[in-house]
Amino acid sequence: MPKVTIDGVEIEVADGTTVLDAALSRGKEIPHYCYHPGLSIAGNCRMCLVEVEKAPKLLIGCATTVADGMVVRTESEKVRRARASMMEFFLINHPLDCPICDQAGECKLQDYAVEYGDGRSRYTEPKLALSKAVDIGRHVMLDQERCIQCSRCIRFCREVTGTGELAFFQRGERAQIGIHPGHRLDNPYSGNVVDICPVGALTLKEFRFRSRVWYLKNTASVCAGCARGCNVVVGAAADDHDQIGRLRRIVARYNGDVNGHWICDEGRLSWQRIYAAPRLMTAESPAGTPADWDATVAEVAETLREAAGRSRAGAILSPRLTSEDLYAWRRLFEALGGVEAGVRRIARGEDDDLLIRADKGANAKGAEWIFGAGATEASVLESARAGRLEALLVVGDPLDPDDTARLDDDVRSKVARVLFVGPFVSGAAEAAPVRLPMAAWSEQDGSIVNFRGRIQWLRRAVGTKAEDRPGWRIAADIADAAGVEFPSFTAPGEVLAALARDVAEYRDVDADTVGMLGVPGRTEAPAGA
């Protein structure tokens, strides 16, 4: 492998590595706009110019491949002057509207102007005025005058989605990005152009003017929109000027084994579903009437214990529950005996060639590992319609109110008691006289397993609402009230430890080993399946 010396430090890199990648791999910052690791090399911003010994002129780091013995200087006077000149060019026509720009706080133009610019401009003519607030798609707005022609968005639409909606129009200083006539930026991954835009030219309608980025608390987590389990960063309001604890956005987080650099628009906006239905804030018995938590738990425990004693109890669980929740419910059902449990299947649309999965159960694979493939919602409902169940527990969906199981009139007429645990007053909650509130997605820690069998850690981004608590905690409370043997879980890590001892696919897994990018379970499918 070639050895290259960058600013006096010799490093060894793989063949074919560019100077920019070599520097970034060692934590050495070389400024860049057009370069993105998920896209082809454009080499048009010229911010990554470096000085290579024996080369007659400065070279762009993003397109210069290292050679053995190469000596590179990234901080020489010649390089600094070149960067300052490039910043002067970028700012010639760029509007000075940082105070009202949504990209403020995350803008590379701001950052590089401070770090590499010289703070002056020799350009005295009026700035070129282009179109502002152009509606180019379902989710994206364009401010043309902020664009620095890095072409990231154009390359994304050509190379990743293959839809090619965006292009450069006109030439020279009047060059501008836009959509082709008769087309709109409405592909299922359009929000990614906002993530990769280094300035404020492209903004997301659903986040535009909603919050300043420095008012957000960002948490690395996992999308629960489908069985892919894309890695994301969840942004929640964390300032008195905003609604503290309210989710504001989701952006992609890189994981080469799951989603690469991208996420779909459905997953990006999945957080909105949490606010689509009324939240269940307290224990209720009867429905609509706030009740004491312990008394309501005791009522649920007694109903389940009596029905299970006659093998006439059933349960339907969401495939978006964490593995810890699912395992705790399984342990409760085993302790009670006589509970027929089934997991929902949520399927919509079709798989595509990039990320989207028709299976919307983010933890459907984990549910299969814990309960077995035969534990289905259909079998439980069949037992209910046949009159074999006296009590039916429904654990609602933690992300989408519309994906909570609904009970038709036939089921409701045959089951004497419907019990509900979930975050939202939706689906089966409408037929349940007894309800217990549960934490929603992003309100608790826990593991989920994607369709390929990769175990990942979903992290708490916001606090719970009122009496909401994790599903595993509710299962433990019910077990305690029912007087059955149950582990004394006090944290999700303890539940995972018990799960790892009990279910082979989770063997040797804990929160530390899962880490930020996840680990394969013991039965992970081949890559590309």
Side-chain angles (χ1 to χ4, degrees):
M1 293 194 298
K3 294 181 180 179
V4 57
T5 301
I6 300 179
D7 293 334
V9 179
E10 185 180 76
I11 60 175
E12 189 174 21
V13 296
D15 289 329
T17 301
T18 65
V19 170
L20 178 58
D21 282 331
L24 294 176
S25 70
R26 298 302 192 273
K28 177 68 177 180
E29 173 71 11
I30 295 180
H32 57 275
Y33 288 121
C34 64
Y35 170 81
H36 188 280
L39 303 172
S40 63
I41 300 297
N44 57 357
C45 79
R46 323 307 284 184
M47 273 301 289
C48 64
L49 286 167
V50 295
E51 188 174 4
V52 177
E53 194 172 88
K54 298 181 181 179
K57 61 181 180 179
L58 298 181
L59 302 177
I60 52 174
C62 66
T64 302
T65 304
V66 300
D68 192 43
M70 179 182 282
V71 177
V72 179
R73 287 182 283 273
T74 72
E75 299 292 344
S76 68
E77 181 61 28
K78 193 175 182 180
V79 170
R80 287 197 295 270
R81 287 199 308 268
R83 290 173 183 169
S85 297
M86 288 310 305
M87 286 307 307
E88 186 177 3
F89 279 123
F90 287 129
L91 293 171
I92 280 176
N93 285 310
H94 196 86
L96 299 178
D97 62 352
C98 297
I100 62 168
C101 179
D102 260 3
Q103 191 74 2
E106 295 180 320
C107 178
K108 285 299 183 183
L109 198 65
Q110 286 182 336
D111 294 345
Y112 291 165
V114 171
E115 189 167 355
Y116 303 109
D118 63 8
R120 65 186 180 90
S121 175
R122 291 165 290 178
Y123 191 78
T124 59
E125 289 76 10
K127 290 180 180 291
L128 184 68
L130 296 175
S131 299
K132 293 186 66 66
V134 182
D135 184 351
I136 63 171
R138 188 182 315 156
H139 304 297
V140 180
M141 295 286 283
L142 166 64
D143 286 283
Q144 288 180 328
E145 61 186 15
R146 293 177 182 162
C147 177
I148 60 170
Q149 285 88 46
C150 73
S151 79
R152 283 185 179 185
C153 58
I154 296 173
R155 282 175 285 148
F156 174 82
C157 291
R158 289 177 181 172
E159 300 167 9
V160 180
T161 65
T163 49
E165 299 96 334
L166 293 168
F168 279 131
F169 297 91
Q170 301 192 50
R171 293 189 177 196
E173 73 166 1
R174 293 188 176 274
Q176 56 191 271
I177 63 165
I179 51 176
H180 288 286
H183 293 77
R184 281 176 63 76
L185 183 62
D186 285 338
N187 70 68
Y189 298 89
S190 65
N192 289 286
V193 302
V194 176
D195 289 352
I196 63 178
C197 181
V199 292
L202 296 168
T203 52
L204 194 73
K205 291 179 182 179
E206 291 80 4
F207 183 70
R208 186 178 172 93
F209 303 137
R210 296 295 195 279
S211 179
R212 286 301 198 179
V213 297
W214 50 82
Y215 292 151
L216 297 180
K217 173 190 173 185
N218 293 312
T219 304
S221 192
V222 180
C223 176
C226 79
R228 174 73 60 177
C230 292
N231 287 218
V232 298
V233 175
V234 181
D239 186 87
D240 290 337
H241 298 294
D242 208 337
Q243 300 180 44
I244 294 178
R246 186 178 178 88
L247 299 178
R248 285 301 184 191
R249 71 173 184 180
I250 291 175
V251 296
R253 177 168 62 92
Y254 177 75
N255 188 330
D257 293 317
V258 180
N259 57 297
H261 300 275
W262 322 119
I263 56 173
C264 71
D265 290 346
E266 183 178 355
R268 180 184 300 276
L269 300 174
S270 60
W271 63 269
Q272 295 180 329
R273 302 302 304 160
I274 290 178
Y275 306 105
R279 286 295 296 265
L280 185 59
M281 302 297 286
T282 65
E284 295 181 358
S285 180
T289 303
D292 177 74
W293 175 270
D294 292 335
T296 308
V297 167
E299 183 179 357
V300 171
E302 181 64 15
T303 301
L304 285 176
R305 187 180 61 79
E306 290 183 356
R310 294 188 286 273
S311 296
R312 295 177 66 83
I316 298 173
L317 303 103
S318 167
R320 289 196 180 108
L321 297 175
T322 67
S323 298
E324 291 70 25
D325 287 354
L326 291 167
Y327 180 67
W329 287 115
R330 196 197 83 176
R331 291 291 297 266
L332 172 63
F333 300 153
E334 290 173 346
L336 292 170
V339 179
E340 181 183 358
V343 179
R344 297 205 73 208
R345 183 173 187 271
I346 307 171
R348 287 190 295 271
E350 299 178 351
D351 298 346
D352 72 5
D353 295 330
L354 189 51
L355 298 176
I356 296 172
R357 305 293 298 178
D359 182 0
K360 304 305 178 183
N363 199 22
K365 177 65 71 173
E368 180 182 324
W369 288 352
I370 293 168
F371 280 96
T376 65
E377 175 188 31
S379 64
V380 176
L381 292 177
E382 181 182 352
S383 295
R385 294 189 180 98
R388 295 194 293 269
L389 301 181
E390 294 177 3
L392 176 59
L393 170 69
V394 176
V395 182
D397 194 273
L399 176 67
D400 191 338
D402 290 340
D403 287 334
T404 291
R406 295 184 177 275
L407 307 180
D408 58 34
D409 292 340
D410 192 20
V411 171
R412 293 164 66 175
S413 65
K414 297 291 179 60
V415 177
R417 294 280 282 174
V418 176
L419 310 169
F420 180 79
V421 175
F424 313 109
V425 183
S426 65
E430 299 165 2
V434 180
R435 305 168 177 169
L436 289 172
M438 183 184 74
W441 174 83
S442 78
E443 295 176 357
Q444 65 166 314
D445 294 329
S447 61
I448 59 175
V449 185
N450 77 353
F451 76 104
R452 285 181 175 163
R454 190 172 191 84
I455 303 169
Q456 303 187 95
W457 196 252
L458 190 156
R459 289 171 177 81
R460 177 178 175 177
V462 295
T464 53
K465 310 298 181 185
E467 288 188 325
D468 293 353
R469 56 197 70 188
W472 61 266
R473 179 70 264 173
I474 298 173
D477 289 348
I478 294 172
D480 184 59
V484 296
E485 185 177 349
F486 195 84
S488 56
F489 297 137
T490 60
E494 295 176 4
V495 187
L496 180 57
L499 173 59
R501 292 190 296 268
D502 197 7
V503 178
E505 290 84 352
Y506 293 87
R507 190 167 67 251
D508 301 326
V509 170
D510 58 32
D512 290 334
T513 58
V514 171
M516 299 297 291
L517 300 177
V519 294
R522 293 295 183 179
T523 59
E524 185 179 35

